[in-house]
Amino acid sequence: MNYVIIGNGVAGTTAAAAIRKNDPTGRIQILTEEAQAFYSRIRLMEYLSGEVDLPKLQLKNNQWYAEHQIQLALNSRVTEIHTTAREVVTQSGQKFPYEKLLLATGANSFLPPIQGADKKGVFTLRNIQDAEAIKSYAQGKSKALLIGGGLLGLEVGNSLRKAGLTVSVAEFFPRLLPRQTDPACAALLKGRLEQMGFIFYLGVVSKEILGETAAQGLLLEDGRRVPTELVIVSAGVRPNMELALNLGIKVGKGIPVTDQMETELPGIYAAGDSIEHRGIVYGIWSAAEQQGEVAGTAMAGGAAEYKGTTFSNQLKVVGIDLLAAGDIDPDGKLESFVEQDDQAGTYRKLVLKDHRLAGVLLFGKLDGRAKLLKAIDGHMDVSALRDPLSRFDLSGL
């Protein structure tokens, strides 16, 4: 059996390992436009801050690929897929035949239409090449500006702060991490980050990146100007669906797949940040890993089913512990138990729905994290535990 995987991120690499586990003799070919083997995108922040060097980002080395008899072609951007001939064609004209194909094309950083976004010194961060460009440009600079106050934006900002830059953040929403916090938790987070030196502009619209040829500031719609020497736009990502569209697949928010991660075209599968499963685009590492496992197993003829992944995000900023999982009910529409200690700077929230633990928000301390995540994933009935849970006694979980 000939397997071709387009993309060497967590979904593609996990799928390759699952194929090899279920098919010891099949030929596995991974194609990627990147210049590096599988590495940790999550640790790009540590590289930006100078805490780790590039080799420590690598998760799979040449020995791993050799031991698993997986062929990896770097710098190989796929431009065409011929379904009749069942072959994949790269930019250089190389052709790779397949019997089973996986699209693990990931997502691209979204760059909103801000005037001046094409100026020198304006970046997005998605891969090692982006990180290297930012790190090089930041040398000798003292001010950085983040457009977007989401998880990635705050982590990038913290990396630049560690590298010695003053960091400002312009965020459209009136609070930080609107999908991962409620108003009370966001206020605590903002205060803690301000103590670390962050400067925030919340509830603002970014109108224009100022400067003749290079970024020198940001003009807000309200007329204020924020000085900077470096701009990083962190406005989310968009699924990379170009190849799927070229194949005629009817896409939605992502590439639609079945529970076995198969697209509408038989023998062509998809996994990772580019896919849509039961109407949901996940875009998180844990989901991509699980999807890759299911896709690889199914491609090799094994029994596997993807049932979804609980959304779980943890902010990786030194000195700050924040975990958001499941439905955190930011608008206060569901029943919840809340414990806030302003003196200690901690906040805990358990969200209940249909007699089950639907979500959890922890700030300042993550005690009981594993138990809570297990209860959410297992759809555990907590009707008999309402009283202890209201006191944050988790012993019954």
Side-chain angles (χ1 to χ4, degrees):
M1 180 73 73
N2 261 347
Y3 305 94
V4 172
I5 296 170
I6 303 174
N8 74 325
V10 61
T13 305
T14 304
I19 290 171
R20 180 55 70 226
K21 182 178 179 181
N22 289 273
D23 182 351
T25 60
R27 186 179 189 279
I28 304 172
Q29 175 72 61
I30 298 178
L31 303 172
T32 176
E33 59 188 70
E34 294 212 51
Q36 294 84 16
F38 180 42
Y39 62 90
S40 173
R41 294 186 192 276
I42 296 171
R43 299 192 70 191
L44 285 175
M45 317 305 166
E46 297 172 60
Y47 173 67
L48 267 185
S49 64
E51 294 172 280
V52 301
D53 54 16
L54 283 178
K56 290 188 177 177
L57 298 182
Q58 192 173 48
L59 296 176
K60 303 295 184 189
N61 57 24
N62 291 337
Q63 182 180 348
W64 182 85
Y65 291 97
E67 288 176 351
H68 289 77
Q69 295 180 292
I70 296 169
Q71 308 300 314
L72 174 65
L74 302 175
N75 302 303
S76 299
R77 181 171 176 266
V78 173
T79 55
E80 299 173 62
I81 299 170
H82 301 148
T83 53
T84 303
R86 299 183 80 81
E87 66 181 12
V88 168
V89 184
T90 67
Q91 193 170 28
S92 66
Q94 280 187 287
K95 297 180 179 180
F96 296 87
Y98 71 85
E99 292 170 90
K100 295 289 179 69
L101 175 66
L102 174 66
L103 305 178
T105 48
N108 299 318
S109 296
F110 173 62
L111 189 62
I114 302 171
Q115 188 176 342
D118 57 346
K119 286 185 169 69
K120 185 180 179 182
V122 180
F123 302 91
T124 57
L125 176 62
R126 186 64 182 167
N127 54 39
I128 282 180
Q129 288 74 24
D130 295 335
E132 288 179 317
I134 294 168
K135 190 170 184 177
S136 174
Y137 194 83
Q139 295 296 319
K141 306 292 191 297
S142 62
K143 294 186 182 72
L145 171 72
L146 279 296
I147 298 178
L151 277 169
L152 177 63
L154 295 180
E155 290 172 2
V156 172
N158 190 54
S159 295
L160 294 173
R161 180 191 67 84
K162 288 180 182 178
L165 283 75
T166 299
V167 177
S168 300
V169 179
E171 166 59 45
F172 174 77
F173 288 96
R175 70 173 189 268
L176 297 173
L177 304 186
R179 291 184 224 169
Q180 291 90 13
T181 64
D182 60 11
C185 182
L188 283 172
L189 174 63
K190 178 174 177 285
R192 188 77 65 83
L193 289 169
E194 285 174 333
Q195 290 174 3
M196 296 169 67
F198 281 81
I199 301 167
F200 292 105
Y201 300 84
L202 302 180
V204 299
V205 175
S206 299
K207 185 176 181 181
E208 181 183 355
I209 295 171
L210 304 171
E212 288 190 16
T213 58
Q216 295 180 342
L218 177 69
L219 175 64
L220 302 177
E221 199 172 62
D222 61 16
R224 285 182 291 172
R225 295 174 179 239
V226 184
T228 190
E229 299 165 282
L230 166 68
V231 175
I232 298 180
V233 181
S234 179
V237 297
R238 297 293 183 271
N240 185 352
M241 300 186 287
E242 183 181 355
L243 291 174
L245 286 166
N246 291 343
L247 287 170
I249 294 174
K250 299 178 183 67
V251 303
K253 293 179 289 184
I255 303 169
V257 295
T258 67
D259 290 352
Q260 285 71 41
M261 312 309 297
E262 193 169 16
T263 70
E264 65 182 68
L265 300 179
I268 299 181
Y269 298 72
D273 292 353
S274 63
I275 71 103
E276 175 184 341
H277 176 260
R278 299 185 186 180
I280 299 174
V281 176
Y282 286 89
I284 55 177
W285 181 282
S286 57
E289 188 172 30
Q290 292 169 17
Q291 292 161 10
E293 177 75 26
V294 171
T297 302
M299 289 169 72
E305 183 179 2
Y306 180 65
K307 298 180 179 179
T309 302
T310 298
F311 280 100
S312 176
N313 289 287
Q314 189 167 338
L315 183 63
K316 300 169 187 68
V317 172
V318 141
I320 296 179
D321 291 318
L322 172 66
L323 173 73
D327 184 354
I328 62 162
D329 188 33
D331 301 318
K333 296 178 180 179
L334 301 175
E335 181 183 9
S336 63
F337 301 131
V338 175
E339 176 189 83
Q340 182 170 344
D341 187 334
D342 292 329
Q343 187 173 358
T346 61
Y347 183 86
R348 297 195 287 177
K349 178 181 183 180
L350 305 180
V351 179
L352 275 63
K353 183 179 181 181
D354 299 329
H355 309 295
R356 288 172 170 77
L357 186 62
V360 58
L361 180 57
L362 304 176
F363 179 80
K365 63 177 183 178
L366 306 184
D367 296 0
R369 173 183 180 274
K371 282 186 174 183
L372 291 166
L373 291 177
K374 185 177 180 181
I376 295 172
D377 285 337
H379 305 286
M380 181 180 180
D381 188 330
V382 295
S383 303
L385 301 174
R386 291 175 54 82
D387 181 57
L389 287 178
S390 69
R391 293 179 277 108
F392 287 85
D393 176 356
L394 309 181
S395 59
L397 295 179

